[in-house]
């Protein structure tokens, strides 16, 4: 599950310069499906794609491409498979953190440090890719994930917190290197097959996210199968704990949290093994690629330019300020379902062995909704989906405040997890698309703001996880959801007003829309 959230921290915009026809393709927020939503929004950390080799004939262009079609497809498959293994492991252990490592809030604080570190690592990807290349950057970055998972064998503050920082630092280079590799491979494959570059790149990203979504199933399935108790052990645990649900606090004790050390180590061993396999797959089976601009002196230097552009965009754009609350909520709500719903409702009431099964439902529903929303938005527009987010999440938060979870109401756990996944997918798909449409002129700084404030939501939620009771956290979610919807409504109105104003002025184009909104 965590893979889904983390992958959203690295956005990509790919600019391809063809020396013959000066065609530029920008993938930035016009996506309509789960695969497309990955390609759309992004670029805050992605190095500029290399110019397509110039040539006088298609034959010469094909000679400039280092791989055959078969080799390109092999590399795509290898990369996707490695991420399945890596995030089966990392996603599975992340969902268990607040339940397994409850003492002193070690699990939740470590996750908070992961996202806090990501905030400050956005300047690393271009630097590392320029010096190491995509393949080596991928393999080295995976070491951070292996360290974090292995640290759970001795889950104390020193090991967990240090390893969490390593993951946060490694996350941005990992995702940027992967997106860069996919994009460059898509450009080459399009040349070889004489297809449209954007279509091929979208197809490759759709294939990647299809693989990546399966991590939701495998990581949680491992946890549930390993921790499933024998009938006698299940009868010994307390499942109708009166302090589960909204009244659950960090110090509450439930027999459902206690697990045999052998089972814990078994699960950790599987996760560590999966993450090591992921790194070996990349190191042994993936072919390295060379980007034309990776050796430039500018990219080989650590540059704070993006950080400065992010800050400047924030204080100069009123629309960006209006979107801060809903963007923070995007991180907060995912952290709540992974850190609080799993702990205070599922593990506390049903037992930790049921956590995986329920969260599989969350992931599968989310994946289906991302595909469905991408098709529906073409017909109904964006606004109905944000209304759906407000109704579904707002209603669920009220229900969770008054509901007392019990073992014989197991179906409700799946229903609530699925419904929460519906709202989460509105954030993941439509908010990304909104940023792409609102800030076409300054997309890099805008998406950097998106990831910054979403990461703040994650980090803050995990930071107070063990300090506050669940009902207080629900009130915080409700307040931020309401504030975020007000800000979103104001941003939508402002954007449409500026759009009409520009349409009435022939000398202005949509490319100046963001500048006008910033000056206003």
């Amino acid at each position: 599950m965590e893979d889904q959230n983390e992958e959203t921290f690295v956005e990509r915009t790919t600019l391809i310069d063809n020396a013959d026809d000066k065609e530029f393709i920008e993938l930035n927020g016009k996506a309509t499906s789960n695969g497309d939503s990955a390609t759309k929004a992004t670029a805050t950390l992605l190095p500029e794609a290399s110019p397509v080799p110039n040539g006088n004939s298609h034959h010469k262009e094909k000679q400039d491409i280092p791989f055959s079609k078969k080799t390109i497809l092999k590399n795509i498959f290898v990369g996707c498979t490695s991420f399945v293994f890596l995030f089966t492991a990392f996603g599975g252990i992340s969902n268990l953190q607040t339940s397994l490592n409850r003492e002193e809030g070690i699990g939740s604080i470590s996750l908070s440090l992961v996202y806090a570190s990501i905030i400050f690592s956005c300047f690393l990807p271009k630097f590392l890719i320029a010096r190491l290349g995509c393949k080596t950057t991928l393999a080295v970055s995976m070491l951070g994930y292996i360290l974090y998972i292995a640290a759970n064998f001795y889950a104390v503050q020193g090991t967990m917190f240090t390893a969490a920082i390593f993951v946060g630092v490694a996350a941005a280079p990992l995702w940027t290197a992967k997106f860069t590799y996919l994009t460059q491979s898509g450009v080459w494959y399009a040349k070889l097959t004489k297809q449209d570059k954007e279509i091929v790149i979208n197809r490759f990203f759709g294939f990647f996210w299809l693989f990546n979504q399966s991590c939701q199933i495998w990581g949680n399935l491992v946890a549930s199968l390993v921790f499933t108790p024998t009938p006698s052990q299940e009868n010994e645990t307390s499942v109708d704990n009166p302090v589960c649900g909204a009244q659950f606090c960090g110090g509450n004790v439930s027999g459902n949290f206690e697990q045999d050390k052998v089972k814990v180590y078994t699960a950790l061993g599987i996760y560590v093994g999966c993450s090591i396999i992921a790194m070996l797959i990349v190191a042994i089976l993936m072919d390295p690629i060379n980007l034309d601009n990776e050796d430039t002196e500018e990219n080989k230097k650590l540059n704070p330019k993006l950080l400065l552009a992010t800050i400047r965009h924030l204080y100069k754009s009123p629309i960006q300020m209006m979107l801060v609350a809903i963007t923070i909520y995007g991180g907060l709500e995912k952290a709540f379902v992974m850190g609080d719903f799993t702990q205070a409702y599922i593990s506390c009431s049903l037992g930790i062995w049921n956590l995986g099964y329920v969260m599989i439902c969350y992931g599968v529903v989310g994946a289906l909704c991302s595909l469905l929303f991408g098709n529906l938005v073409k017909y109904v527009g964006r606004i109905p989906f944000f209304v759906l987010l407000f109704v579904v999440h707002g209603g669920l938060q009220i229900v969770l405040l008054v509901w007392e979870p019990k073992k014989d109401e197991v179906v409700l756990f799946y229903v609530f997890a699925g419904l929460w996944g519906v709202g989460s997918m509105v954030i993941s798909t439509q908010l990304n698309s909104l940023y792409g449409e609102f800030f076409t002129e300054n997309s890099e700084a805008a998406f950097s703001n998106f990831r910054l404030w979403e990461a703040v939501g994650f980090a803050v939620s995990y930071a107070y996880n063990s300090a506050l009771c669940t009902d207080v956290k629900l009130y915080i979610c409700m307040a931020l959801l309401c504030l975020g919807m007000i800000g979103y409504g104001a941003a939508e109105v402002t954007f449409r007003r500026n759009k009409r104003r520009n349409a009435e002025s022939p000398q202005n184009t949509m490319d100046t829309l963001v500048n006008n909104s910033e000056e206003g």
Side-chain angles (χ1 to χ4, degrees), residues 1-10 78-96 111 114-115 118 137-139 141-146 148-149 166-179 208-223 267 270-279 281-282 338 360:
M1 162 119 42
E2 198 72 16
D3 56 322
Q4 247 183 347
N5 302 323
E6 193 173 90
E7 63 207 21
T8 64
F9 281 101
V10 180
V78 166
C80 292
T81 303
S82 69
F83 267 58
V84 169
F85 276 98
L86 182 65
F87 285 99
T88 288
F90 183 72
I93 196 62
S94 295
N95 284 343
L96 292 170
L111 291 175
V114 168
Y115 291 99
I118 289 176
T137 299
L138 282 169
S141 297
M142 287 179 178
L143 284 173
Y145 290 80
I146 296 173
Y148 181 77
I149 298 168
F166 275 110
V167 173
V169 171
L174 178 86
W175 285 99
T176 304
K178 178 58 182 174
F179 288 161
F208 170 73
W209 291 121
L210 177 64
F211 267 65
N212 218 44
Q213 286 288 350
S214 69
C215 301
Q216 297 287 341
I217 300 174
W218 313 126
N220 288 313
L221 188 60
V222 167
I270 294 173
Y271 289 145
V272 170
C274 286
S275 59
I276 292 175
I277 290 173
M279 186 181 68
I281 288 175
V282 170
M338 291 184 297
I360 287 174

Side-chain angles (χ1 to χ4, degrees), residues 39-78:
T39 62
K40 66 176 182 185
T42 55
T44 60
L45 302 173
L46 180 64
E48 295 176 3
S50 59
V52 175
N54 189 14
N56 297 323
S57 67
H58 180 67
H59 177 70
K60 187 175 187 300
E61 286 181 350
K62 292 178 69 172
Q63 285 183 327
D64 292 334
I65 297 173
F67 302 130
S68 65
K69 291 185 290 184
K70 183 178 179 180
T71 302
I72 291 174
L73 293 178
K74 182 267 293 185
N75 286 327
I76 296 298
F77 178 78
V78 166

Side-chain angles (χ1 to χ4, degrees), residues 236-278:
E236 293 174 0
T237 59
S238 173
V239 293
D240 286 328
N241 196 310
V243 294
C244 295
Q247 301 307 311
F248 180 89
C249 297
N252 290 356
V253 178
S254 170
N256 290 328
F257 289 110
E258 302 302 323
Q259 293 299 318
D260 179 46
K261 287 294 184 183
V262 174
K263 290 186 176 182
V264 174
Y265 292 152
T266 299
L268 292 175
I270 294 173
Y271 289 145
V272 170
C274 286
S275 59
I276 292 175
I277 290 173

Side-chain angles (χ1 to χ4, degrees), residues 283-312:
I284 298 173
L285 300 178
M286 179 177 280
D287 295 309
I289 63 172
N290 295 318
L291 301 176
D292 290 345
N293 69 336
E294 68 182 352
D295 293 328
T296 61
E297 290 303 317
E298 182 180 357
N299 283 341
K300 286 188 175 182
K301 297 177 181 178
L302 291 175
N303 197 329
K305 183 167 57 177
L306 178 59
L307 177 61
L308 297 176
T310 301
I311 297 172
R312 181 178 180 274

